[in-house]
Amino acid sequence: MYADEATIRRILRHSGDTWAVVGLSNNRSRAAYGVAEVLRRFGKRVVPVHPGAQPVHGEQGYASLAEIPFPVDVVDVFVNSELAGGVADEAVAVGAKAVWFQLGVTDEQAYERTRAAGLDMVMDRCPAIEIPRLAPGA
């Protein structure tokens, strides 16, 4: 229900190539690190958003979405479900086109608010799993 194929395809193919990954750090054992690598392989610019604001994969990190000084197309959310709704609200506030909640991250009210604001949204799916299915030209 929160991850129809048309929305997944639209986000991955047409929403833009600048992805802010909230929860991305240099910890290679975390899922966000590996997902960011896959997104980069498929031509996405990955911008790390983490309280430490450390660079990851050669890209400057930021402590929040509001601190990113350029437009973000998609916000990929790796925080727990209790915090994810706030991130979705920030994504709306910064003018993102889409929000993607990772596997295990759900918030039905945030989904409704985000969709009502006109953004595409997917919950409880992983773009690193979905994007290769659309290749070539994901």
Side-chain angles (χ1 to χ4, degrees):
M1 177 174 171
Y2 299 111
D4 66 273
E5 292 299 315
T7 301
I8 289 169
R9 182 176 310 286
R10 194 167 44 253
I11 292 171
L12 292 173
R13 286 197 173 157
H14 306 294
S15 290
D17 291 331
T18 302
W19 285 54
V21 179
V22 179
L24 175 59
S25 70
N26 276 312
N27 185 341
R28 293 174 182 263
S29 68
R30 304 290 302 217
Y33 192 89
V35 169
E37 285 183 319
V38 172
L39 290 170
R40 287 172 35 106
R41 270 200 316 270
F42 281 89
K44 307 302 182 188
R45 178 183 184 188
V46 175
V47 180
V49 179
H50 190 276
Q54 57 193 225
V56 182
H57 296 300
E59 185 76 44
Q60 172 62 47
Y62 299 90
S64 70
L65 292 173
E67 293 180 19
I68 300 173
F70 47 83
V72 170
D73 300 313
V74 181
V75 176
D76 189 5
V77 182
F78 275 93
V79 301
N80 65 45
S81 295
E82 292 75 32
L83 300 173
V87 175
D89 295 339
E90 289 179 50
V92 170
V94 301
K97 297 174 188 167
V99 175
W100 192 299
F101 281 9
Q102 281 295 323
L103 290 170
V105 180
T106 59
D107 181 330
E108 292 181 17
Q109 290 79 22
Y111 181 87
E112 297 302 327
R113 288 192 311 272
T114 303
R115 295 291 296 136
L119 281 70
D120 279 328
M121 185 165 178
V122 169
M123 285 197 312
D124 196 26
R125 296 289 278 269
C126 179
I129 294 170
E130 302 298 332
I131 201 167
R133 291 186 322 108
L134 297 177

